[in-house]
Amino acid sequence: MINKVSVHRLVSFKLKFYINNAEVLHLTDKIYVVGHKSPDTDSVTSAITYANLKNALGMKEVVPAAAGDLNNETKFLLDYFKVPYPEKLTDATDKMLILVDHNEMAQAVDKLKMENIVEVVDHHKIGGLATGKPIFFLNEPVGATGGIIANLYEQSKVPISKEMAGLMMAAILSDTVLFKSPTCTPRDKVAVEKLAKIAGIDPMKFGMDLLKAKSDISTKSAKDILTGDFKKFDFSGTKAGVGQIEVMDMADLAPKRAALLDEMKKMQAAEKLNMVVLMLTDVMKEASDILFVGDAAAAQGFEKAFGGKLANNSIYKEKVLSRKKQVIPPLEGAFKK
Ligand code: MG
Ligand code: MG
Ligand code: MG
């Protein structure tokens, strides 16, 4: 039977393994925990909270990083809990990385080599990672990486501070759009309940404040909106970029629609993509207007994926909130050869 002591030993053993690994690789004395490019709240807070856990377990060389500029929601959150912003990491040359909230090279920091990945903690589909040696790889189908990390604190018997609890709670609320997304699981709700108690916060009230911060597009250009939450995918050879903007009222985006389509066209050309998709998600109406720009073959696949005809460069879908569960899988299916 596994008791508390043996769980702790297991964690300590793993810890030693990573330290040894770092020495063998002679790369750097630091290990960065980092999420995906166009970092969202889950990516940034997972880096911070997981580095904090590693530090508490004695791995002082582990530091959090963000693979780009922080969005308004994340800034609001870190300011609220007075947690310092992590350093920005955009080039992984000669660096050892723990990936959180992603596992696809297309979404990772530039110039990352697979052999420099020491761990992965994530909640997305597995997207083609291949390593030369065994690594710690934890992927669970839950609403956010934050909940997985909260469990790791529990398993390691490391007490969760008010600040770390607030960050992990916010990550779950943000990724699950206040539990409305189909990616939300009962475990996410349990985790939020526990973390909210430690943070001393009303989760739903705080969640609305997060959402307001996230959906404030008043100061954002069309380019900011497109690149703020943007991920690249390869659907059987069709190169795609899929962005998402979540707002509390889709009408706020209407005046920017033409400019957004323009930016999407520019992005398609500059990044040599077959298509660029942007989900305009109304979290109150629980629907998305899915904008499309791309070549003819991609348009055909897009229409097949969403079972409709493109009108005015988009297909409107009720009840679609999640890129991961409701947009990427149908696209993948439509382009499968
Ligand atoms: Mg994310
Ligand atoms: Mg996430
Ligand atoms: Mg998201």
Side-chain angles (χ1 to χ4, degrees):
M1 196 186 111
I2 296 178
N3 59 26
K4 286 176 190 178
V5 177
S6 55
V7 166
H8 185 76
R9 282 215 185 106
L10 190 71
V11 172
S12 314
F13 168 75
K14 272 193 223 142
L15 203 114
K16 271 219 174 87
F17 173 73
Y18 301 132
I19 291 167
N20 291 342
N21 220 7
E23 281 167 4
V24 170
L25 285 165
H26 295 297
L27 285 173
T28 167
D29 47 0
K30 270 189 194 175
I31 297 175
Y32 292 89
V33 189
V34 68
H36 52 78
K37 284 185 196 168
S38 299
D40 59 2
T41 291
D42 191 32
S43 259
V44 177
T45 58
S46 293
I48 295 170
T49 56
Y50 199 43
N52 179 271
L53 172 62
K54 292 286 187 188
N55 295 163
L57 291 169
M59 287 181 78
K60 300 295 181 200
E61 73 282 26
V62 177
V63 293
D69 294 326
L70 306 188
N71 68 29
N72 289 341
E73 179 191 55
T74 310
K75 284 183 190 161
F76 164 82
L77 172 67
L78 298 184
D79 293 347
Y80 182 93
F81 284 103
K82 300 191 174 58
V83 170
Y85 293 4
E87 64 179 277
K88 189 162 147 180
L89 180 72
T90 52
D91 186 320
T93 306
D94 289 345
K95 292 189 173 69
M96 292 184 63
L97 261 53
I98 294 173
L99 306 187
V100 287
D101 198 39
H102 70 305
N103 70 73
E104 302 200 33
M105 294 304 266
Q107 295 161 14
V109 176
D110 288 338
K111 298 190 183 138
L112 174 61
K113 291 195 181 125
M114 289 203 196
E115 64 256 36
N116 294 2
I117 300 170
V118 290
E119 280 192 51
V120 177
V121 180
D122 189 22
H123 68 127
H124 291 89
K125 71 182 172 77
I126 317 296
L129 203 68
T131 62
K133 58 180 171 309
I135 63 163
F136 179 77
F137 189 105
L138 179 57
N139 196 89
E140 293 188 86
V142 290
T145 310
I148 302 172
I149 294 171
N151 279 339
L152 291 174
Y153 271 84
E154 238 172 58
Q155 283 168 25
S156 323
K157 304 290 161 211
V158 172
I160 301 175
S161 69
K162 185 177 184 275
E163 291 76 19
M164 294 304 116
L167 265 49
M168 291 186 279
M169 177 198 75
I172 301 171
L173 291 169
S174 168
D175 260 16
T176 65
V177 196
L178 307 191
F179 302 145
K180 283 186 207 172
S181 168
T183 57
C184 185
T185 70
R187 281 174 56 193
D188 296 300
K189 294 185 182 173
V190 172
V192 164
E193 203 181 315
K194 274 191 200 169
L195 294 165
K197 270 190 199 129
I198 302 169
I201 262 178
D202 175 345
M204 289 330 238
K205 193 171 165 292
F206 191 71
M208 284 304 280
D209 290 341
L210 283 172
L211 216 53
K212 267 180 222 153
K214 176 160 37 181
S215 62
D216 177 15
I217 53 159
S218 57
T219 59
K220 282 186 187 164
S221 67
K223 191 177 179 184
D224 295 338
I225 292 172
L226 177 61
T227 57
D229 179 7
F230 189 80
K231 291 183 182 177
K232 285 188 193 161
F233 297 88
D234 187 321
F235 303 124
S236 309
T238 298
K239 304 249 180 279
V242 185
Q244 182 174 27
I245 174 85
E246 288 147 323
V247 290
M248 296 175 91
D249 185 357
M250 210 181 302
D252 294 349
L253 284 162
K256 299 193 192 241
R257 193 188 161 97
L260 285 170
L261 288 168
D262 248 19
E263 280 303 328
M264 289 165 69
K265 279 174 202 149
K266 274 190 219 159
M267 165 87 83
Q268 191 206 344
E271 304 281 323
K272 299 191 172 58
L273 298 168
N274 298 102
M275 63 178 183
V276 175
V277 172
L278 178 62
M279 298 169 66
L280 310 182
T281 301
D282 188 318
V283 296
M284 293 299 152
K285 288 200 187 91
E286 300 187 34
S288 291
D289 194 19
I290 312 172
L291 266 51
F292 171 92
V293 158
D295 60 40
Q300 227 173 31
F302 182 86
E303 290 183 335
K304 186 176 162 201
F306 299 108
K309 285 269 161 228
L310 276 162
N312 218 350
N313 283 91
S314 80
I315 292 182
Y316 184 87
K317 294 296 280 185
E318 303 276 0
K319 296 278 162 225
V320 167
L321 286 173
S322 167
R323 170 174 47 198
K324 176 170 43 171
K325 267 209 160 159
Q326 297 168 299
V327 171
I328 301 308
L331 284 172
E332 232 166 15
F335 289 101
K336 198 159 246 158
K337 280 167 190 157

